[in-house]
Amino acid sequence: MPYLTAPADACRTASGEQLGFGVPGYAHPLLAPAEWAELTRPGTPLHWAVLNIANGPGSRPDPHCLEAAGRLRNARERALRGEAPDAAVRASGGRLLGHLDLAHGERPFDELIADARSFIDWYRVGGFYLARCPGERSGLPAVRRLTGTLHALLAASDSADDGGRLVLGHGFQPYPGYAEAADQLVTFQGPWTDYRWSQVAEWTADYPPERFAHFVHGVPRTHLEEAMRVARWQGAGTIFFTDRDDRDGQSDPFATLPRYWDEIVSRIGPGISE
C-alpha cells in the first residue's frame, strides 16, 4: 500500500506505556464461560471486549449474553467509582462493545443503526466495534456519517461514559482520514508470519498508541516478547495475541483463550514493561 513505510526513527511506544487487551469477539458465553470470566479477573489489563450474537445483537435479548454483559459493566462501574485496588481497576475498566458488521461498506445505514439501538437497549454497551470496515478513501464519508450517528446514540444513552468508544475493525492500514472518524483503528489483523515482518504506516506517527490496535494469531509462546516489541515499535496500544489459528478446528482463532493466557497477562499486566 502507498502509505506503508518502515519505521526509521525510534520505538513508537515508550517502554513504560501500558499495553492492554482488546478482545475482538469471544464465542457465545454459554460456549466460552472461562473466556468471559477472565475479562474481570484482577491483573488483566482489558481495554474493551466485543459482544457478538449472530453477527450482531440477535433478534431478541439473550439471557447468557445479558449476564455476561452485566458482569463486565458492573466491574467497570465499580472500578470507575474507585471501589477496587489498583490492579483490579486496570482489570475491570474495560468497555463492552457491540459488534456491527459493515460488510466492507455494503450494509445499509438504517440496518446498522437498528442493530446499534438493540445493543444499547438490551445490553447497554459502552461503544461499538465496526467489523469489516472499509478502508478506501471513497468509503470514508459513509463511515463518518455512521460514527457521528453512533456517538450521538451513545451520548443520549445512560450506558456509555465519556461518550462511548468506537473502534474501526479494518484489519489493515486504511486511508489516513479514517483516524479522525473514530476513537481507535485496528490496523493489523492476521497471522504472526505476516506480522513479524510488517511495516507501519508513516501517517500513524501523528497519533498516540491508544488510537491503534493489532490482532495477531498463530503467535508461538516463544515469540511473545518479540510480538510485543513489534506492537510497541509500531505504536499499537491495544493488542490480542493468540497461538490459535484456523487449523485448530475453528474458523475464528480469536474466539477462545490462547494457551498461554496467564503468561501474556503477567507479561503486560500491572507494573510490567520492557
Side-chain angles (χ1 to χ4, degrees):
M1 287 188 176
Y3 306 108
L4 295 183
T5 182
D9 43 11
C11 180
R12 292 277 309 284
T13 305
S15 61
E17 292 188 29
Q18 182 75 22
L19 288 172
F21 295 122
V23 179
Y26 281 151
H28 189 280
L30 186 61
L31 302 176
E35 281 77 1
W36 284 94
E38 285 293 316
L39 296 181
T40 55
R41 189 182 80 169
T44 303
L46 178 70
H47 290 169
W48 47 262
V50 177
L51 179 64
N52 182 13
I53 309 105
N55 209 31
S59 58
R60 63 182 61 85
D62 182 295
H64 301 286
C65 294
L66 285 169
E67 182 180 359
R71 284 197 302 265
L72 186 59
R73 185 175 59 251
N74 291 339
R76 177 173 175 81
E77 291 174 354
R78 289 195 302 270
L80 293 176
R81 290 197 301 264
E83 298 177 7
D86 291 343
V89 169
R90 278 192 283 267
S92 305
R95 299 176 189 269
L96 183 68
L97 307 182
H99 176 104
L100 299 178
D101 183 4
L102 272 60
H104 308 295
E106 296 299 320
R107 284 198 67 199
F109 175 84
D110 291 346
E111 284 186 11
L112 291 166
I113 296 302
D115 280 357
R117 291 184 185 278
S118 294
F119 268 122
I120 291 173
D121 292 344
W122 299 343
Y123 301 108
R124 298 182 61 203
V125 296
F128 295 100
Y129 180 81
L130 280 58
R132 297 201 293 171
C133 183
E136 300 78 15
R137 184 173 184 172
S138 60
L140 182 54
V143 171
R144 280 179 172 160
R145 180 193 178 202
L146 176 61
T147 57
T149 304
L150 293 175
H151 268 307
L153 288 175
L154 290 166
S157 74
D158 63 354
S159 64
D161 51 84
D162 300 328
R165 187 166 188 82
L166 300 181
V167 179
L168 301 184
H170 303 286
F172 56 87
Q173 305 278 356
Y175 175 73
Y178 283 90
E180 302 301 325
D183 301 292
Q184 192 174 56
L185 281 61
V186 179
T187 52
F188 185 92
Q189 180 168 337
W192 167 242
T193 51
D194 291 343
Y195 187 62
R196 68 184 307 188
W197 307 116
S198 64
Q199 296 178 329
V200 67
E202 186 175 10
W203 61 265
T204 63
D206 295 332
Y207 298 91
E210 59 263 27
R211 300 298 301 279
F212 302 104
H214 291 170
F215 301 147
V216 190
H217 61 78
V219 181
R221 180 189 299 270
T222 53
H223 289 276
L224 272 178
E225 199 66 37
E226 181 184 357
M228 285 187 284
R229 283 198 298 269
V230 173
R232 289 190 170 105
W233 182 270
Q234 296 195 6
T238 301
I239 62 168
F240 193 88
F241 296 158
T242 180
D243 55 347
R244 312 280 184 176
D245 55 37
D246 53 13
R247 292 172 295 182
D248 285 315
Q250 58 185 28
S251 59
D252 183 1
F254 303 109
T256 61
L257 288 172
R259 297 175 183 90
Y260 45 61
W261 175 253
D262 288 341
E263 181 174 347
I264 193 172
V265 167
S266 68
R267 283 175 179 262
I268 71 171
I272 300 298
S273 64
E274 293 184 8

